[in-house]
């Protein structure tokens, strides 16, 4: 039997590589002598640079930039042999960076991301591949744009760097004297539009600390910046993925004239996933939480689509199942195995995550074993 283990990271607890090792060990314990290939994944969120490094090589580098609240943080990026710089928003504007200071998407900024892009350009990068997942922000990429020379003015003509809570104060936008010249492709892990009930603020801001009133204010700010940038109702705002990372997808389109792509497809192509899939009897994928959003462009869904096209069954292993998780079998997963029946407090989760994941992977392995009854 040959299996391919290809999970995303279990956010805040296990890297994708660590998840690969634990899942592979569980299957080896059930199937001695089994042939296992592992492929750590990232769909644009936390761990993207290291996932691309594992799949494609290159050199990992670090640079000090502004964090989500303006504090100095050491951000990591990858410079590939072909000159592509792989950056992840989570490394400088991520939820885990913001959490110790409290989550407030009205105050957080993507400014550090713009600073990291400048550092990559100055280091000789020829193009930017930007992962949008895992952000703590809702500033439509205005912080990033400000670092790249765009200027934002309020009604009094005062220049400022907008955050999510001050987008509505922007009265005028001026482009930089020297545009950022490198081509930018953004790797998205969700397909939400910029605003509205299915957009950045309503769907994702509550995960970043917003209450109902703040969600409405944030959504109003996103609508305002959209009106300023594209008053003719151009197609920027409803574009799939423009709402990714608190509207950063929109910022990539509006301020950089970049392009948006599903992040998992980019990595699977680079890693030669289809070739790794050849001859496989089973694929194991997963992430920390699998829910309705998994089917909106997350890594496990990208793996599922590729595997289904080759008639290879796919099992999902996750930390826990969230709302809408009951739709996953109907989408094509042959089985879903959560490590926990309910979310755990972060401290407890970090203590037990390895044992919990191993137990879930063991159940998945026994589920497939001809001598075992399904759980």
């Amino acid at each position: 039997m040959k299996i391919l283990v290809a999970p995303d990271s279990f956010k805040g607890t296990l890297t994708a590589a660590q998840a690969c090792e634990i899942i592979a060990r569980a299957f080896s314990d059930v199937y001695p002598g089994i042939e296992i290939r592992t492929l750590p994944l990232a769909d644009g969120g936390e761990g993207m640079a290291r996932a691309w490094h594992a799949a494609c090589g290159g050199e990992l580098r670090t640079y000090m930039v502004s964090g989500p609240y303006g504090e100095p943080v050491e951000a990591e990026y990858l410079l590939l042999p072909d000159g592509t710089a792989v950056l992840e928003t989570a490394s400088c504007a991520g939820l885990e960076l913001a959490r110790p200071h409290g989550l407030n998407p009205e105050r957080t900024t993507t400014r550090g991301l713009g600073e990291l892009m400048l550092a990559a350009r100055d280091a000789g990068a020829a193009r930017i591949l930007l992962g949008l997942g895992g952000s703590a922000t809702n500033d439509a990429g205005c912080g990033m744009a400000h670092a790249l020379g765009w200027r934002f003015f309020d009604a009094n003509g005062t220049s400022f760097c907008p955050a999510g809570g001050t987008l509505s104060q922007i009265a005028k936008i001026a482009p930089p004297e020297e545009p950022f010249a490198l081509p930018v492709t953004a790797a998205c892990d969700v397909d939400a539009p910029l605003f509205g009930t299915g957009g950045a603020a309503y769907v994702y801001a509550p995960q970043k600390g917003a209450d109902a009133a703040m969600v409405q204010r944030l959504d109003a700010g996103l609508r305002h910046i959209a009106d300023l940038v594209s008053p003719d109702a151009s197609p920027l705002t409803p574009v799939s993925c423009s709402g990714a990372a608190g509207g950063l997808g929109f910022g990539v389109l509006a301020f950089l004239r970049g392009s948006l792509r599903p992040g998992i497809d980019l990595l699977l192509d680079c890693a030669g996933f289809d070739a790794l899939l050849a001859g496989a009897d089973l694929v194991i994928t997963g992430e920390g939480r699998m829910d309705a959003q998994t089917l909106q462009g997350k890594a496990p869904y990208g793996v599922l689509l590729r595997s289904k096209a080759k008639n290879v069954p796919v099992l999902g292993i996750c930390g826990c199942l969230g709302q809408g998780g009951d739709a996953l079998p109907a989408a094509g997963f042959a089985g879903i195995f959560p490590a926990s029946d309910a979310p755990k407090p972060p401290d407890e989760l970090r203590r037990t995550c390895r044992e919990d994941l191993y137990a879930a992977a063991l159940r998945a392995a026994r589920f497939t074993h001809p001598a075992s009854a399904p759980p």
Side-chain angles (χ1 to χ4, degrees):
M1 185 177 186
K2 299 179 181 178
I3 69 169
L4 175 59
V5 180
D8 199 345
S9 64
F10 284 54
K11 189 176 296 183
T13 56
L14 297 167
T15 67
Q18 290 169 332
C20 280
E21 185 276 326
I22 293 169
I23 294 169
R25 177 160 49 88
F27 271 79
S28 294
D29 287 346
V30 174
Y31 291 94
I34 190 175
E35 181 179 333
I36 301 177
R37 291 184 174 183
T38 60
L39 179 63
L41 296 179
D43 51 20
E46 181 183 11
M48 178 177 172
R50 289 188 173 267
W52 276 78
H53 183 246
C56 309
E59 179 186 352
L60 288 166
R61 301 185 176 191
T62 57
Y63 192 78
M64 294 299 298
V65 299
S66 300
Y69 288 107
E71 76 284 12
V73 299
E74 188 175 68
E76 185 175 68
Y77 72 94
L78 172 67
L79 190 60
L80 292 173
D82 69 353
T84 300
V86 181
L87 282 60
E88 55 185 80
T89 302
S91 74
C92 48
L95 275 170
E96 298 310 312
L97 292 175
R99 199 178 301 279
H101 308 282
L103 298 180
N104 185 341
E106 287 193 308
R107 293 181 49 224
T108 48
T109 178
T110 56
R111 185 169 69 245
L113 180 59
E115 296 167 358
L116 193 60
M117 292 171 66
L118 292 173
R121 182 200 64 185
D122 294 344
R127 64 194 66 82
I128 301 289
L129 175 59
L130 172 60
L132 301 188
S135 85
T137 57
N138 203 93
D139 70 353
C142 289
M144 171 196 71
H146 187 269
L148 297 177
W150 287 79
R151 291 174 296 164
F152 300 85
F153 302 91
D154 64 17
N156 297 319
T158 302
S159 177
F160 70 108
C161 180
T166 56
L167 293 181
S168 295
Q169 298 175 22
I170 303 171
K172 179 184 176 182
I173 304 174
E177 295 181 3
E178 295 185 10
F180 187 75
L182 300 188
V184 177
T185 299
C188 307
D189 64 345
V190 298
D191 60 2
L194 181 62
F195 54 73
T197 55
Y202 275 91
V203 176
Y204 302 105
Q207 304 169 11
K208 304 174 184 183
D211 60 19
M214 186 187 294
V215 164
Q216 293 183 16
R217 295 194 299 270
L218 291 169
D219 188 68
L222 294 173
R223 291 175 183 272
H224 177 71
I225 188 69
D227 287 341
L228 283 176
V229 172
S230 52
D232 57 349
S234 77
L236 290 184
T237 54
V239 167
S240 176
C241 300
S242 66
L248 181 56
F250 169 82
V252 168
L253 296 173
F255 302 121
L256 301 174
R257 294 297 183 260
S259 60
L260 307 179
R261 292 276 307 279
I264 187 57
D265 287 342
L266 292 168
L267 179 55
L268 292 179
D269 287 344
C270 175
F273 181 83
D274 292 347
L276 292 174
L277 193 61
D281 299 296
L282 179 68
V283 174
I284 314 297
T285 188
E287 59 184 344
R289 178 194 296 267
M290 294 182 70
D291 53 24
Q293 293 181 20
T294 299
L295 303 179
Q296 297 179 358
K298 297 286 188 177
Y301 189 54
V303 169
L304 175 68
L305 293 179
R306 297 266 185 133
S307 303
K308 282 177 63 177
K310 301 293 184 179
N311 296 313
V312 181
V314 180
L315 300 181
I317 300 177
C318 56
C320 66
L321 273 177
Q323 186 175 3
D326 54 354
L328 298 173
F333 285 97
I336 300 293
F337 299 87
S340 176
D341 292 334
K344 294 183 176 182
D347 288 344
E348 181 182 354
L349 186 60
R350 282 189 284 271
R351 284 196 307 271
T352 66
C353 60
R354 292 176 179 272
E355 293 81 3
D356 291 346
L357 179 57
Y358 176 81
L362 205 61
R363 291 198 304 273
R366 289 170 176 162
F367 174 82
T368 67
H369 199 286
S372 301

